[in-house]
């Protein structure tokens, strides 16, 4: 049901002071929704420092209002596609699994040391 919801929206707005990752932002991006989120470390990573989506300081309603005033009512399909590509290239399950596997195999220098 969430996929249908995310596909029906153009923008995804979330204001947080602390997030470990931001699963809902990633899920929205996977369907092409453009994030408008607070400028916190986890969202900054997801939005590529604001190059994919919009960041505003936590608690700064004026900054959020400025963003909302300048975004088009319907973003270009190229922007939605850019969000999907960012998800597929950076945050999809195969990419994450590949990164974890690489970290795991890099930590094995041949044999595990005995404790």
């Amino acid at each position: 049901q969430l996929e249908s919801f995310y596909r029906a929206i153009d923008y995804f707005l979330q204001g947080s002071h602390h997030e470990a990752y931001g699963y809902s932002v990633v899920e929205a991006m996977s369907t092409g929704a453009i994030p408008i989120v607070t400028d916190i470390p986890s969202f900054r990573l997801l939005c590529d420092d604001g190059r994919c989506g919009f960041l505003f300081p936590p608690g700064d309603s004026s900054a959020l209002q400025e963003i909302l005033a300048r975004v088009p009512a319907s973003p270009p399909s190229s922007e939605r596609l850019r969000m999907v590509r960012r998800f597929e290239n950076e945050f999809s399950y195969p990419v994450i699994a590949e990164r974890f596997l690489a970290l795991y195999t890099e930590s094995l220098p041949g044999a595990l040391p005995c404790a």
Side-chain angles (χ1 to χ4, degrees), residues 2-21:
L2 281 177
E3 183 178 356
S4 296
F5 170 76
Y6 288 134
R7 286 190 187 283
I9 63 173
D10 292 317
Y11 298 96
F12 181 78
L13 174 62
Q14 184 171 337
S16 298
H17 287 270
H18 307 283
E19 292 282 338
Y21 180 64

Side-chain angles (χ1 to χ4, degrees), residues 24-102:
S24 57
V25 176
V26 171
E27 289 173 343
M29 289 174 76
S30 76
T31 64
I34 299 168
I36 301 173
V37 294
T38 44
D39 189 2
I40 60 175
S42 57
F43 292 168
R44 200 173 308 124
L45 169 78
L46 298 176
C47 293
D48 194 21
D49 289 323
R51 287 181 283 278
C52 283
F54 301 91
L55 299 169
F56 63 95
D60 190 341
S61 60
S62 296
L64 173 59
Q65 186 176 11
E66 287 176 26
I67 291 169
L68 295 175
R70 72 175 198 256
V71 297
S74 265
S77 58
S78 60
E79 281 302 298
R80 293 183 63 91
L81 183 58
R82 213 161 63 87
M83 296 307 120
V84 172
R85 285 193 180 135
R86 176 140 177 89
F87 166 78
E88 290 172 347
N89 295 331
E90 299 292 330
F91 308 114
S92 64
Y93 288 127
V95 169
I96 301 256
E98 185 177 308
R99 287 183 183 155
F100 277 129
L101 183 58

